[in-house]
Amino acid sequence: MNTPGRHEHFNRDSGNLLQAISLLLLGAVLAGCPMGKTAAEQKIVICGSNTFGEELGPRLIALYKKDYPAVTFETEFKATGYGVGALLDGRCDIAAASRVLNPNEVEVARSRGIMLYDYIVGSYSVAVIVNAASPVESLTSNQVRDVFTGVVQNWKEVGGPDATINLCIRDQISGTHLGFRELAMENKPYGPGLKAFTTYRDIVQAVAHDTNGVGYASIDLPKDAGVKIVSIGGVTPTAASVNQGQYPYTRVLHLLTVKSKESDAAHDFLQFIQSPRGQQIVHQMGFVPHP
């Protein structure tokens, strides 16, 4: 049986013609393989976080495959816990995680003698936005929670005018819909009277046209006229405040592999994500690149 990553050696007694044909076939296979890997190593299975898998992961995969079309990907994005479990059970090559491992996962890995590599992709961060005409400049984390859960429904309760708060959020099929609940709302349900949108930009435009609107978007998107970013507890979301761990509505995205089983193909893909080219995509998709 061939060792992964090594080429097959031919018996010296084989005929010259057979040897030539075999070498040509082998060369054709390796032509599309990054770093000369065998065809068996070209499938990469990724499981885990929706935060990574909804838009960012597919975009990175598509760009990588332009250079390495022979590499195939199989993905299943359900949740961080699902991905970590699949990695520890040997059912995937890479686990996408939007949090650090919990104590139970750490103990399972320890009990099985599994050591992990942790590749940081960047940070998922969400900015709370209001209409540019609103007098509200800053909210506490508790106020944001109460506004989006409907406990507070009038702006005057949080320093604004006597007017009903209009919630603008992502639609339910979006990973951000749940992600913001987990980050800012203690996983409580959204309040009444909300409007759901399919993109951050749609939310920005809706808030820009509604003096009583409030919503959320990636931290670099609300540069459009008509909206402004609200600081949270006095902290404004910037790349610096996110990377320094100061801004609360942030998740660091990790890609995890098992040290003893990390394939060359998986390693190449992860190195691509952390390269300047990969990090540019991270930024373009509204995430904060890893410093």
Side-chain angles (χ1 to χ4, degrees):
M1 181 179 295
N2 293 335
T3 301
R6 295 180 180 176
H7 302 163
E8 180 180 359
H9 293 283
F10 290 86
N11 190 298
R12 292 181 180 179
D13 294 331
S14 298
N16 291 337
L17 179 60
L18 177 61
Q19 184 180 38
I21 294 173
S22 299
L23 287 172
L24 284 172
L25 291 174
L26 181 62
V29 171
L30 295 180
C33 300
M35 297 180 65
K37 290 180 274 297
T38 61
E41 290 182 279
Q42 298 314 296
K43 182 178 179 181
I44 301 174
V45 181
I46 309 174
C47 298
S49 169
N50 283 315
T51 304
F52 176 79
E54 182 184 12
E55 296 177 346
L56 178 59
R59 178 70 177 275
L60 289 166
I61 289 171
L63 185 61
Y64 183 77
K65 282 182 66 64
K66 287 184 178 180
D67 292 334
Y68 302 110
V71 179
T72 61
F73 289 83
E74 181 179 309
T75 61
E76 192 171 10
F77 298 113
K78 293 183 177 180
T80 292
Y82 176 80
V84 173
L87 183 68
L88 297 179
D89 288 343
R91 292 183 285 111
C92 69
D93 303 298
I94 300 173
S98 54
R99 58 167 172 79
V100 297
L101 269 63
N102 61 39
N104 181 63
E105 291 163 343
V106 171
E107 175 57 27
V108 170
R110 187 203 62 77
S111 67
R112 297 179 183 179
I114 296 174
M115 300 292 290
L116 301 177
Y117 282 128
D118 183 358
Y119 296 85
I120 296 179
V121 177
S123 295
Y124 163 76
S125 191
V126 185
V128 176
I129 59 171
V130 296
N131 186 274
S134 173
V136 176
E137 302 283 345
S138 181
L139 295 169
T140 66
S141 293
N142 287 345
Q143 287 174 328
V144 172
R145 176 200 63 206
D146 291 346
V147 164
F148 280 91
T149 57
V151 173
V152 170
Q153 299 185 29
N154 193 298
W155 279 114
K156 68 180 180 180
E157 297 182 58
V158 291
D162 185 4
T164 300
I165 297 173
N166 298 323
L167 301 178
C168 300
I169 69 168
R170 287 292 302 271
D171 54 303
Q172 290 188 9
I173 64 172
S174 163
T176 305
H177 178 95
L178 179 59
F180 187 78
R181 278 182 51 181
E182 294 174 344
L183 284 172
M185 300 167 56
E186 298 176 359
N187 211 23
K188 296 178 179 179
Y190 287 94
L194 57 81
K195 294 181 179 179
F197 300 88
T198 56
T199 69
Y200 278 150
R201 187 164 294 282
D202 289 338
I203 292 177
V204 171
Q205 291 176 352
V207 174
H209 291 89
D210 183 354
T211 55
N212 298 317
V214 61
Y216 48 76
S218 59
I219 68 173
D220 66 335
L221 188 60
K223 297 174 182 177
D224 302 36
V227 300
K228 63 182 179 182
I229 292 176
V230 174
S231 64
I232 308 300
V235 179
T236 301
T238 63
S241 64
V242 167
N243 285 324
Q244 292 169 8
Q246 298 172 341
Y247 185 67
Y249 302 150
T250 298
R251 282 177 169 172
V252 178
L253 300 182
H254 307 259
L255 293 177
L256 308 171
T257 64
V258 175
K259 285 186 178 182
S260 61
K261 297 181 179 180
E262 184 183 89
S263 69
D264 288 342
H267 181 78
D268 284 353
F269 177 62
L270 293 164
Q271 290 295 304
F272 160 74
I273 292 175
Q274 291 190 324
S275 72
R277 189 179 177 200
Q279 288 294 289
Q280 183 180 23
I281 297 300
V282 171
H283 176 70
Q284 290 175 356
M285 297 298 290
F287 293 79
V288 178
H290 180 55

